[in-house]
Amino acid sequence: MNFDINKTKEIAKRYFNMMPDKSDERDTIERIESGVSFRGANLWVLVFAIFIASLGLNVNSTAVIIGAMLISPLMGPILGLGLGIGINDMVLLKRSGKNLVVATGISVLTATIYFALSPLSEAQSELLARTSPTLYDVLIALFGGAAGIVAQATGGKGNVIPGVAIATALMPPLCTAGFGIATLNFSYFIGAFYLFYINSVFICIATYLGVKFLKFRPIASLDSHKSNIIHNRILILTVATLIPAAVMTYNMLGETVFESRVRSFVDKELNWKGSQIISYDANRDEKRLRVVVVGNVVADSMQQQAQRLLEFYGMKDYRLQLIQGAASANIQLLENKLAKNKETHEKYEQMLMEETTRQAATYDSLQQYRRYEELSSKMKGEIKVLYPSVKSISLAKMLSVSTDTLPHRQYVAVIVELKKDKRMNDVEQKKMKLWIGERIEADSLRLFISQ
């Protein structure tokens, strides 16, 4: 079967051609121009939207943030910039740029005032998500801007404009920038404002490309020299905007790949029988992988084998450190507390080992109490043969606390209950005490006879 390229082009053109849906250019330009200016009601809507978005970020409410993005008028001047460049309308370009600067300044100032007065100063997850932009945000802004200009050029059909407002999220980054100023955390301010800058630039570029693709008629003609200057400036702006985002994306992907390797190593190579991994932490600065293990003690040979296997997971220079203990809950709590307080590495390990030692001592004490319970059950048959008059025997470890300055004493209490109408003289009691002492290997023992 022969492939007809002309027929394929006709089919593609029939499905993807937007020109039949294009509305009157004058109507489209007027529609975009009407959203450029910020004065009167439009400015108040912007201020209210900033307050709503700031509240949403403060209480970590996604629904409230989305509501703020839907009513925000910030898209207007950005679309106006792209349209002005696309149709060579310098008046619209200057007016859009001026209004965008004013709207941005008022937005950041409003958010700063809110967060300065708010009693909630902790950065929530919704706020933190706006502090580390990547190339994915560039793509979102680019495709969002393209959808926006197409919707405007076709009369705003469907729910495209609200969707673009939510996807590109111009409002939350400005609120996060205000939070950074209010809390004097300028890394938040820089990251959030850079995200807003990315969204603005690439929505503008997408609008410009959409205007060219839809063949809007320029209102003024430019010679080839001026046209080349505009194209070169757009290219320089695009590359300058992309470089920091590309670096952040590279670092993010590198961190993700590294975490995946660590997780794969722990899951596949540290699955020792009778042991369980409670937590693990890879320190890239110190080249150390620390793993907390409970259960059976991992032999040195198994640890050395695991150390050699690190090479196959891209961690040849890393040192495997196993921390083994009898309980995990307190260790995890200690880790969280130390991480929160940013303790130094040396103090961290020292406190962790002290906690592990305390847990081991608690475990040993518990085992001693359980040992006497087991001995009581085992001695039941022997007592029955040696001392038929005994009905039951109980063993327990006791602590004697003196009311004077004498030190505390520990001993094993042996409570013997005799059968009804049975008696045991002093010689028999002494003999029984010696036998029980040898039997349970106790240095200090007290015998109590219950008639």
Side-chain angles (χ1 to χ4, degrees):
M1 186 173 87
N2 295 328
F3 179 73
D4 191 341
I5 188 169
N6 292 326
K7 187 176 181 180
T8 304
K9 286 182 177 179
E10 290 180 6
I11 295 174
K13 186 176 181 180
R14 190 188 321 143
Y15 279 99
F16 291 98
N17 185 18
M18 292 185 291
M19 300 309 292
D21 296 322
K22 181 183 175 183
S23 60
D24 183 72
E25 286 186 12
R26 191 65 251 168
D27 292 341
T28 302
I29 294 173
E30 289 177 356
R31 194 161 42 243
I32 294 176
E33 284 181 337
S34 66
V36 167
S37 298
F38 281 96
R39 57 171 54 92
N42 215 21
L43 184 59
W44 279 108
V45 170
L46 174 67
V47 172
F48 295 147
I50 284 290
F51 274 119
I52 294 171
S54 298
L55 282 163
L57 291 170
N58 212 188
V59 299
N60 212 37
S61 173
T62 304
V64 174
I65 297 170
I66 291 175
M69 290 188 285
L70 286 172
I71 64 177
S72 166
L74 271 174
M75 280 283 290
I78 299 174
L79 292 176
L81 281 171
L83 177 63
I85 298 172
I87 64 175
N88 302 330
D89 188 345
M90 295 299 108
V91 175
L92 176 60
L93 178 63
K94 292 178 181 178
R95 188 158 63 94
S96 299
K98 178 182 176 181
N99 280 279
L100 180 59
V101 171
V102 171
T104 302
I106 291 175
S107 298
V108 174
L109 178 62
T110 304
T112 302
I113 293 172
Y114 168 79
F115 284 111
L117 299 176
S118 174
L120 303 176
S121 59
E122 185 177 354
Q124 304 291 341
S125 59
E126 286 287 350
L127 192 145
L128 293 173
R130 273 82 186 182
T131 58
S132 301
T134 64
L135 286 178
Y136 297 106
D137 297 295
V138 171
L139 296 176
I140 292 170
L142 190 63
F143 293 130
I149 187 58
V150 168
Q152 291 283 7
T154 55
K157 295 180 179 179
N159 296 319
V160 177
I161 299 301
V164 172
I166 295 172
T168 53
L170 294 165
M171 188 70 60
L174 289 179
C175 297
T176 304
F179 175 85
I181 296 175
T183 59
L184 300 180
N185 192 327
F186 294 105
S187 62
Y188 284 2
F189 171 79
I190 293 172
F193 199 83
Y194 177 52
L195 175 57
F196 172 76
Y197 177 73
I198 285 176
N199 289 339
S200 301
V201 168
F202 282 93
I203 290 173
C204 179
I205 291 174
T207 303
Y208 165 76
L209 295 175
V211 167
K212 291 297 184 182
F213 182 78
L214 292 168
K215 299 178 181 178
F216 276 61
R217 290 185 299 273
I219 65 171
S221 59
L222 296 177
D223 56 41
S224 59
H225 177 68
K226 289 184 178 180
S227 179
N228 289 334
I229 290 176
I230 291 175
H231 291 159
N232 290 336
R233 287 179 178 177
I234 292 175
L235 180 61
I236 292 172
L237 180 65
T238 302
V239 173
T241 305
L242 282 174
I243 289 175
V247 173
M248 291 182 183
T249 304
Y250 178 80
N251 293 336
M252 182 194 72
L253 292 177
E255 189 68 28
T256 302
V257 171
F258 177 75
E259 290 176 358
S260 177
R261 287 177 178 174
V262 173
R263 184 166 55 252
S264 178
F265 171 77
V266 172
D267 292 342
K268 294 179 181 179
E269 309 300 345
L270 304 187
N271 54 349
W272 297 300
K273 186 177 180 180
S275 300
Q276 183 178 355
I277 305 298
I278 296 301
S279 65
Y280 58 89
D281 171 62
N283 191 313
R284 302 186 74 171
D285 295 329
E286 300 177 2
K287 301 291 184 182
R288 172 182 53 78
L289 175 59
R290 184 180 55 79
V291 182
V292 178
V293 186
V294 296
N296 295 340
V297 176
V298 180
D300 291 342
S301 59
M302 300 171 69
Q303 295 185 38
Q304 293 171 4
Q305 182 182 4
Q307 177 69 51
R308 288 191 294 269
L309 292 174
L310 282 171
E311 179 180 357
F312 299 100
Y313 292 85
M315 295 182 287
K316 181 180 179 180
D317 299 329
Y318 278 70
R319 177 173 63 89
L320 178 63
Q321 178 188 11
L322 291 189
I323 298 177
Q324 306 182 66
S328 63
N330 286 341
I331 293 176
Q332 285 183 299
L333 289 174
L334 181 61
E335 288 177 336
N336 294 336
K337 181 178 179 181
L338 292 174
K340 186 176 181 180
N341 294 334
K342 298 180 181 180
E343 296 285 347
T344 59
H345 173 63
E346 293 78 8
K347 189 175 181 180
Y348 174 88
E349 286 191 336
Q350 180 183 355
M351 293 179 67
L352 191 59
M353 293 305 297
E354 288 175 357
E355 182 64 23
T356 304
T357 303
R358 284 195 293 269
Q359 290 297 320
T362 303
Y363 179 81
D364 292 339
S365 298
L366 181 61
Q367 288 297 100
Q368 289 184 18
Y369 283 103
R370 289 179 177 174
R371 173 175 174 267
Y372 291 120
E373 292 178 3
E374 295 173 357
L375 282 172
S376 298
S377 300
K378 290 180 180 179
M379 292 171 61
K380 180 175 64 176
E382 301 172 15
I383 284 284
K384 188 175 182 180
V385 175
L386 295 175
Y387 301 96
S389 61
V390 174
K391 182 180 179 181
S392 65
I393 182 173
S394 301
L395 303 175
K397 192 170 184 178
M398 306 295 289
L399 177 66
S400 176
V401 180
S402 178
T403 57
D404 52 26
T405 57
L406 294 176
H408 303 334
R409 295 179 57 192
Q410 288 187 343
Y411 63 91
V412 178
V414 181
I415 302 174
V416 176
E417 182 182 2
L418 301 179
K419 295 179 181 179
K420 188 177 181 180
D421 299 327
K422 297 294 184 179
R423 296 287 185 274
M424 184 176 288
N425 57 40
D426 294 338
V427 176
E428 291 176 325
Q429 291 184 23
K430 185 176 181 181
K431 183 179 178 182
M432 174 183 283
K433 183 177 180 181
L434 291 172
W435 175 77
I436 294 175
E438 291 293 330
R439 180 66 177 80
I440 66 175
E441 300 178 354
D443 296 331
S444 180
L445 182 147
R446 293 185 184 182
L447 180 64
F448 301 92
I449 304 295
S450 175
Q451 302 291 344

